[in-house]
Amino acid sequence: MKRPARPIRTVQRVQVGARMEKTVVKVLKALAEYLDLSLGDLLEGMALHALEGKSPFSPKTLGHIRRLRAIYGLELTAGDSHRLVEKDHAHD
């Protein structure tokens, strides 16, 4: 049985300035394109799911993400988060 549709919510969005690792951005942009979403909508949805401790992706989408990671050479994992240093600052 299908769940009833949730009502449309009106929100105010703001521009954010954020820097991210290059291959992560490539994979996210390609995933947004695959899902027919803007990059902002993808990131917003991922954040809302994460803040509730939920996975934002179906098994089918996770398979596509694995292929995109291979295509763009994304080797970083969740274990690398908060442990990345920018190339220009690696030896300061």
Side-chain angles (χ1 to χ4, degrees):
M1 182 174 6
K2 251 185 157 178
R3 289 187 288 173
R6 293 186 58 109
I8 299 294
R9 308 269 313 253
T10 301
V11 297
Q12 179 181 3
R13 290 199 168 103
V14 297
Q15 192 70 31
V16 298
R19 294 169 58 82
M20 296 176 70
E21 195 278 330
K22 185 177 180 176
T23 55
V24 172
V25 172
K26 287 181 177 184
V27 169
L28 289 173
K29 284 182 173 182
L31 180 59
E33 178 71 24
Y34 170 74
L35 297 172
D36 197 25
L37 297 171
S38 70
L39 180 59
D41 280 346
L42 175 67
L43 295 174
E44 191 173 70
M46 289 169 55
L48 289 170
H49 278 78
L51 291 171
E52 292 186 24
K54 297 178 179 179
S55 174
F57 305 116
S58 69
K60 179 182 176 183
T61 302
L62 288 172
H64 191 72
I65 291 169
R66 280 191 291 280
R67 290 187 292 280
L68 291 173
R69 289 176 63 98
I71 290 167
Y72 291 103
L74 176 55
E75 297 176 1
L76 297 173
T77 68
D80 294 311
S81 64
H82 313 299
R83 302 186 49 76
L84 303 174
V85 177
E86 288 194 55
K87 196 174 194 176
D88 296 343
H89 303 291
H91 300 290
D92 285 350

